Amino acid sequence: MSTTAITIGPAVVGSMIASYLFGCSTMQTYTYYRRFPGDRSVFQILVAAVMMLTFAHIVCIMYWTWTLTVTGCQNPDDITIFSNSRDANLIMTPLISTLVQMFFIHRLFKFSGCKTVAAFCGILSMLNLIGTLVDAVKALSISTNRTSQNAQDWLTILTLVAAAVCDLVTTVGLVYFLQHERRRTKVQQIHNIADRLTLWTIETGLATSMSAVLVIVFVSPFNYDGDDHASYQQFCTMRTTFLWTAVYDVLADVYTNSLLAA
């Protein structure tokens, strides 16, 4: 496979999918404000904040894709993952995911009343946010100093695993308590509402958690050196392949769509 196919190709595909999802989010946002003008102010502010971050996220992706496909054609050897727009995207994605995760954690707490599960998911969400921001700071230092050391592999994988586990636990918890409430009543209308909420919960939860898992898969392939020593490739040093960007580019948009679909 050519170098272009595993560098520029995934970046372009990821940008196209992210743009499509952003369009869906825009329509969902319009529908939300039109149909629910009396919704709680905190939820309206949350939707507005997530959409503004998502818009900035799309702008950064488009600018980065432009530098790869247009500016990069003039100097192919300078094509790299390190850029200011990319680093800004690395910061905005965990901000979006954390806001959305907190919304679902709040919903889980309302349904279950269990502070322990909600606190556990909250810790995982904050771990994802803090860890990713630390990695982003490392990436910024790499952008200005190509000889600097990268963030630790374990921290990168840990943050992605924390996000995936948080989404899975939240999803399983919501499904369990929804079905628990369903079994407590014999009213068919309540059954229909619980079943519909359960389906939406599974769809949105699996979409975000599986996206995080795919990023983990592409971020951490084994790389063998001359001594046949296996080591994990670094999230910020995969200069020969941008396969992970195709998934990571759409991760924030998946979270945004999940929030608006909820």
Side-chain angles (χ1 to χ4, degrees), residues 31-220:
T31 302
Y32 166 73
Y33 282 112
R34 184 177 180 180
R35 294 183 60 185
F36 306 102
D39 201 8
R40 294 175 58 182
S41 298
V42 63
F43 293 147
Q44 293 186 359
I45 294 173
L46 173 64
V47 170
V50 169
M51 280 304 297
M52 285 189 292
L53 287 171
T54 306
F55 175 73
H57 155 78
I58 286 295
V59 170
C60 290
I61 288 179
M62 290 303 160
Y63 180 77
W64 181 65
T65 305
W66 174 271
T67 60
L68 287 180
T69 58
V70 179
T71 309
C73 290
Q74 301 174 0
N75 299 292
D77 294 335
D78 292 336
I79 294 178
T80 177
I81 196 66
F82 307 111
S83 67
N84 292 333
S85 60
R86 193 66 199 173
D87 295 337
N89 181 44
L90 293 177
I91 295 174
M92 282 179 286
T93 297
L95 291 176
I96 294 170
S97 65
T98 300
L99 287 174
V100 176
Q101 286 172 342
M102 288 302 175
F103 168 80
F104 285 107
I105 292 172
H106 174 266
R107 175 176 286 185
L108 174 62
F109 175 72
K110 287 296 184 180
F111 273 112
S112 65
C114 182
K115 295 181 180 180
T116 303
V117 176
F120 174 70
C121 293
I123 292 173
L124 289 176
S125 181
M126 293 307 299
L127 178 62
N128 170 49
L129 174 63
I130 295 173
T132 308
L133 291 179
V134 171
D135 265 353
V137 171
K138 293 291 185 179
L140 285 171
S141 66
I142 294 171
S143 298
T144 56
N145 181 15
R146 298 298 178 83
T147 62
S148 63
Q149 296 296 319
N150 301 314
Q152 297 296 318
D153 291 336
W154 64 265
L155 178 60
T156 300
I157 305 302
L158 179 63
T159 56
L160 292 168
V161 170
V165 173
C166 178
D167 294 335
L168 284 174
V169 172
T170 304
T171 301
V172 172
L174 284 171
V175 170
Y176 172 80
F177 288 108
L178 280 170
Q179 291 302 305
H180 177 71
E181 291 298 321
R182 181 185 186 277
R183 288 191 295 268
R184 292 177 58 183
T185 179
K186 296 184 181 299
V187 180
Q188 186 61 39
Q189 185 177 3
I190 300 298
H191 287 187
N192 294 336
I193 294 174
D195 290 340
R196 183 176 299 178
L197 288 175
T198 299
L199 179 60
W200 288 347
T201 300
I202 294 174
E203 290 175 347
T204 56
L206 288 181
T208 54
S209 58
M210 290 301 101
S211 296
V213 169
L214 284 175
V215 177
I216 295 173
V217 171
F218 287 124
V219 160
S220 54

